[in-house]
Amino acid sequence: MKETILLYNLDSAAIRNKIKFLCIQGGIHIRVVEKNQYDVPIGTLAFGKKEDIEPYLRSENSEEKPSFNDPMLVFAGFTGQKLDQFLNAMRKQKIPKINLKAMLTEHNVKWDSVTLHDELAREHEAMNKK
């Protein structure tokens, strides 16, 4: 499986473009996740085809469903070394810190984006309490 990064809520075109540039350099697939895809399991978002995702897309108003606005990155198919290289490259490019980052694992592969976000937000808050 090819390394893939899922991008959430990176509203700055400059930041998105810097990350996309790093992905192109590293041969990494990139997928921008839209709010109407938040119900799709993150494993499907990372490695599924368009036809795998379409059945999950909501027809009802997405405003009524749980959502989030925080920037978030999900790394799928990365080795520890490749992840370290990518994160170092982000720092060298002076990409602002994105607090919510996760690796796709056997434990979270079936989670939807909101569930992963909420877990990462709780962990981040707990680690940064003083």
Side-chain angles (χ1 to χ4, degrees):
M1 286 186 263
K2 184 174 182 176
E3 294 109 347
T4 300
I5 298 178
L6 303 178
L7 299 180
Y8 294 83
N9 301 316
L10 293 177
D11 297 332
S12 165
I15 293 170
R16 260 194 331 271
N17 289 338
K18 284 183 177 185
I19 291 174
K20 286 180 180 181
F21 176 75
L22 293 176
C23 289
I24 290 168
Q25 279 186 320
I28 299 166
H29 183 258
I30 192 166
R31 178 169 276 167
V32 176
V33 181
E34 303 295 335
K35 290 189 187 301
N36 70 338
Q37 298 173 327
Y38 283 8
D39 282 346
V40 181
I42 57 174
T44 303
L45 288 170
F47 297 120
K49 297 180 178 124
K50 184 178 180 182
E51 56 269 15
D52 298 329
I53 295 171
E54 286 175 355
Y56 290 95
L57 298 181
R58 306 183 196 111
S59 58
E60 67 269 11
N61 187 347
S62 63
E63 299 295 326
E64 299 169 12
K65 297 291 182 176
S67 186
F68 59 92
N69 294 314
D70 306 315
M72 183 170 81
L73 300 177
V74 178
F75 298 90
F78 279 69
T79 63
Q81 181 181 6
K82 182 85 173 198
L83 178 63
D84 288 343
Q85 289 172 348
F86 190 84
L87 294 174
N88 285 332
M90 284 180 64
R91 281 189 283 279
K92 286 180 184 174
Q93 289 292 317
K94 299 189 183 341
I95 295 171
K97 185 177 180 185
I98 297 170
N99 292 325
L100 304 181
K101 295 184 284 296
M103 288 282 289
L104 183 69
T105 68
E106 64 185 43
H107 300 291
N108 65 21
V109 69
K110 293 184 180 181
W111 292 5
D112 63 37
S113 298
V114 173
T115 301
L116 178 63
H117 167 271
D118 292 349
E119 179 65 22
L120 290 175
R122 277 190 297 275
E123 289 176 5
H124 180 71
E125 184 178 326
M127 290 185 341
N128 290 294
K129 279 189 176 179
K130 294 186 178 184

